[in-house]
Amino acid sequence: QKEVEQDPGPLSVPEGAIVSLNCTYSNSAFQYFMWYRQYSRKGPELLMYTYSSGNKEDGRFTAQVDKSSKYISLFIRDSQPSDSATYLCAMQTSGTYKYIFGTGTRLKVLA
Amino acid sequence: DVKVTQSSRYLVKRTGEKVFLECVQDMDHENMFWYRQDPGLGLRLIYFSYDVKMKEKGDIPEGYSVSREKKERFSLILESASTNQTSMYLCASGIPSVYEQYFGPGTRLTVT
């Protein structure tokens, strides 16, 4: 079993839809939870970061962490064609340099 | 803005060749990383460096070596390229105790 599981998609939604992207994990020591966005032929860029449990909102994006269920989510409201990208979750334990990445979910927002 | 640059966007090499991938960051970051990204496998860490001349093996170091002679530059070396090293290679940099890693644009390497 992988430490971090992420549905690869692809996920196609109409413009304006609410998108839900998810990852599950098995290591209860993870404390830092990140979402990266990767456009085609580019490197990943950090979108959202959450420490431990809870919610974090930034504009149209909301990140949620449920440590009891070992489940994290990224919600995108009012999705736009420019949101079409691969979304990678990443997790880290405190005091280490190492990320564990999910495999990424490819999202396509149709105009 | 943090900038991480990689020497080539696309590279085609023959089996058995020695391959050098270069990465340069301009933010004086202590940490630098080399990953490879493959469909269905995600990003996997090859090597990590936390200071000049210091390195640690990641999850898949076999067939690779690294060099960090200057703080801003981190090189990945494929001693004898093989077809199973065909992949997207991503370099990243960051500061210790800060969660964010900054990625370069990637080098798509094809070994024929």
Side-chain angles (χ1 to χ4, degrees), chain B:
Chain B
D1 266 1
V2 175
K3 192 123 190 221
V4 179
T5 56
Q6 295 184 229
S7 50
S8 306
R9 293 302 304 273
Y10 300 94
L11 211 52
V12 180
K13 295 291 181 181
R14 292 191 179 271
T15 302
E17 278 193 82
K18 191 168 186 174
V19 182
F20 293 86
L21 302 181
E22 302 282 332
C23 175
V24 178
Q25 50 97 358
D26 67 357
M27 284 300 292
D28 203 36
H29 285 167
E30 285 85 352
N31 294 346
M32 295 189 76
F33 307 82
W34 274 107
Y35 294 90
R36 63 178 281 178
Q37 185 175 30
D38 301 288
L41 297 175
L43 273 79
R44 292 179 292 165
L45 182 65
I46 305 171
Y47 265 99
F48 160 65
S49 170
Y50 53 91
D51 203 348
V52 174
K53 297 191 190 292
M54 307 305 286
K55 62 188 179 189
E56 281 190 20
K57 292 180 180 178
D59 297 318
I60 51 163
E62 297 79 19
Y64 304 94
S65 61
V66 290
S67 172
R68 193 163 178 204
E69 297 296 319
K70 292 185 178 182
K71 192 175 186 181
E72 68 271 18
R73 190 178 296 269
F74 192 33
S75 301
L76 180 70
I77 303 149
L78 286 66
E79 295 289 344
S80 177
S82 64
T83 54
N84 63 11
Q85 292 179 309
T86 291
S87 186
M88 169 70 88
Y89 289 88
L90 288 159
C91 175
S93 73
I95 304 170
S97 77
V98 173
Y99 54 87
E100 184 167 6
Q101 292 185 16
Y102 298 86
F103 284 85
T107 295
R108 186 165 292 282
L109 172 68
T110 302
V111 182
T112 60

